[in-house]
Amino acid sequence: ALHAPRTVDYHFWAGRCAESLANLDRAQRLTQYRRAVRFITASYRAEHNRQQSLVDRLARACFE
């Protein structure tokens, strides 16, 4: 999602990531969320706005 060439692609892949995360059981969800956040924040080539947006979207999927 972070490196998608077009905005519409980013939104599609971000949605799929959030959906996949939400379908895990609670323990797996937390583990995968932490891993994803580390990866996202370490992606220095990705746009900062996309990083923040993806972390927020995953947090909602994980904790709601």
Side-chain angles (χ1 to χ4, degrees):
L2 289 176
H3 303 293
R6 298 179 304 183
T7 302
V8 69
D9 296 328
Y10 161 76
H11 287 291
F12 171 79
W13 288 113
R16 298 292 293 165
C17 293
E19 182 181 315
S20 296
L21 186 63
N23 288 331
L24 298 173
D25 66 56
R26 183 168 173 76
Q28 287 180 319
R29 224 178 14 237
L30 291 172
T31 300
Q32 292 303 318
Y33 172 75
R34 289 182 187 119
R35 285 182 184 167
V37 169
R38 282 195 303 268
F39 177 80
I40 292 165
T41 57
S43 296
Y44 65 92
R45 291 173 135 190
E47 295 176 23
H48 185 69
N49 290 340
R50 279 191 181 186
Q51 288 176 327
Q52 288 180 329
S53 174
L54 187 54
V55 168
D56 289 343
R57 197 167 192 170
L58 295 179
R60 282 187 304 233
C62 186
F63 299 110
E64 289 183 352

